[in-house]
Amino acid sequence: MLKRRPLGDHGLEVSEIGFGAWAFGGEWGEQSDKDSVGALHAALDAGVNLIDTAPGYGDGRSERVIAQVLASRTDHPLVATKTPPAPGPWPPSPYCRWQDRYSAAYLRENVQQRLQQLGTERIDLLQLHTWTRAWNEDPQPLLVLRRMKEEGKIRLVGVSAPEQDPNSVIPLMQTGLVDVVQVVFNLFQQEPAAELFAAAEESGTGVIVRVALDEGALTGKYKADHQFAETDFRRAYFAGDRMERTVKRVQAIADDVARFGLTERYHLADVALKFALSPSAVSSVVVGMRNVQQVSQNIATSSLPDLPEALLQVLQRHNWHRGVWYAGK
């Protein structure tokens, strides 16, 4: 049975395993729409009720596939999409002005595009795709989104926290400007545990975790010499010696799990997802699922017992400060 958790204090419950639809756009290697449609139907049939996407995933392709699937169904999962900043540094630099990246006119035009792509009159969750603490003193973009919420075009307002500075969104949570935050949290990147999760519980903010499997590395299926296809963004993410370094650290995690005698019951992917779900502040962990088999594997994790507290304590030692890998080597 796929468990559900509250999405902050907004009166909604979401499946603790959510559907990450980045791969639908083709940036994870070749992806057929047939496989995408089959995977999403299988996930929804299994009880998944949170789908995360963005216009940058295949120039709207991911959103269009989702709209196609939902048009053929009677259930109504919560669909979270994003508005990227206007062209400029990613993540935004400390010198970027919100007026240049998230102007009111730009936001309104982009939200209208999201409505059209998803074939809906209201976006369930609209997230700014990135942020910088440079805008915290004058967070006008979020005020624009909240006005659009009052107008009925958006149900919930969110922000996807920059991976190099997740705590930058804490003031936005404390002042009630955002309903939901999305953060990177996994066995390697544990910074949200320092402050963000406590702030979320105190403010009633929903928390969506992304990259729980570290772009697939924490499944343990890759060897040190693995090479990704030219069309797969992970070719840059794991450039140079990064995969070799990562595999060594994944093996250390596997050794810890083995010492607790859990290898037979938990795959490494299960351990990674259970770790990401362990903070009580986490509402859902969105996982990329490209086919029906991956859906079955990830959904099954929800029915496993939680990891022993003693193991969770041991796994904290794998926290790894490694900078922003998304920019490439």
Side-chain angles (χ1 to χ4, degrees):
M1 179 66 179
L2 186 53
K3 300 172 187 173
R4 294 191 175 187
R5 298 184 176 196
L7 186 63
D9 63 1
H10 305 298
L12 298 170
E13 287 196 338
V14 290
S15 52
E16 64 177 19
I17 301 295
F19 197 105
W22 184 1
F24 285 10
E27 288 87 359
W28 289 58
E30 293 297 324
Q31 176 75 11
S32 73
D33 287 352
K34 180 180 179 181
D35 283 345
S36 298
V37 168
L40 187 50
H41 274 300
L44 295 172
D45 290 343
V48 170
N49 74 336
L50 171 63
I51 306 168
D52 182 73
T53 185
Y57 302 166
D59 193 22
R61 179 181 172 193
S62 176
E63 288 180 325
R64 292 191 294 271
V65 170
I66 292 166
Q68 173 189 339
V69 170
L70 296 185
S72 68
R73 300 181 64 97
T74 58
D75 46 357
H76 301 283
L78 188 149
V79 178
T81 191
K82 308 177 186 78
T83 288
W90 188 299
S93 83
Y95 309 105
C96 288
R97 303 189 321 145
W98 65 259
Q99 294 93 332
D100 300 325
R101 309 301 301 279
Y102 283 130
S103 70
Y106 169 79
L107 286 171
R108 286 188 172 276
E109 180 182 4
N110 190 273
V111 169
Q112 190 60 40
Q113 292 172 357
R114 307 283 63 74
L115 291 166
Q116 292 172 352
Q117 287 276 83
L118 291 168
T120 184
E121 295 182 354
R122 183 177 69 166
I123 297 170
D124 296 320
L125 170 58
L126 192 286
Q127 305 159 101
L128 296 179
H129 205 153
T130 187
W131 187 256
T132 170
R133 65 173 59 241
W135 302 333
N136 281 356
E137 294 301 312
D138 188 23
Q140 289 297 320
L142 291 167
L143 296 179
V144 174
L145 294 185
R146 298 206 74 82
R147 285 196 291 273
M148 297 183 75
K149 179 179 178 179
E150 294 172 0
E151 295 165 8
K153 294 182 179 180
I154 298 170
R155 184 176 186 180
L156 296 173
V157 173
V159 62
S160 183
E163 56 273 1
Q164 85 285 2
D165 189 15
N167 292 330
S168 64
V169 302
I170 289 177
L172 311 177
M173 300 156 62
Q174 293 171 331
T175 54
L177 283 173
V178 294
D179 304 310
V180 179
V181 295
Q182 184 175 140
V183 297
V184 174
F185 179 66
N186 60 46
L187 283 158
F188 293 148
Q189 294 173 265
Q190 301 181 28
E191 184 60 26
E195 297 180 89
L196 189 143
F197 290 147
E201 293 195 305
E202 291 171 3
S203 61
T205 306
V207 176
I208 297 173
V209 165
R210 68 182 189 272
V211 200
L213 298 178
D214 191 40
E215 315 302 5
L218 286 167
T219 64
K221 65 182 179 181
Y222 297 122
K223 296 182 179 180
D225 60 353
H226 184 84
Q227 293 291 321
F228 290 97
E230 292 283 354
T231 56
D232 194 320
F233 92 96
R234 291 173 294 180
R235 189 177 182 89
Y237 185 82
F238 290 111
D241 64 348
R242 288 178 175 181
M243 181 56 79
E244 181 180 2
R245 292 160 57 202
T246 301
V247 167
K248 288 180 180 178
R249 290 176 178 268
V250 171
Q251 183 57 54
I253 294 169
D255 292 343
D256 283 344
V257 175
R259 278 193 288 274
F260 276 78
L262 298 176
T263 304
E264 293 298 320
R265 188 164 192 187
Y266 295 81
H267 295 294
L268 270 180
D270 296 325
V271 173
L273 293 178
K274 284 294 186 182
F275 181 85
L277 285 163
S278 62
S280 57
V282 172
S283 305
S284 183
V285 174
V286 292
V287 190
M289 295 181 261
R290 302 181 61 177
N291 52 54
V292 173
Q293 180 183 5
Q294 290 183 359
V295 170
S296 298
Q297 291 170 341
N298 292 315
I299 295 301
T301 303
S302 183
S303 62
L304 291 171
D306 294 339
L307 297 177
E309 184 62 32
L311 176 57
L312 289 173
Q313 294 292 323
V314 168
L315 292 175
Q316 291 175 6
R317 75 184 183 92
H318 298 288
N319 187 39
W320 182 13
H321 294 287
R322 59 182 182 183
V324 184
W325 279 26
Y326 293 99
K329 184 71 172 172

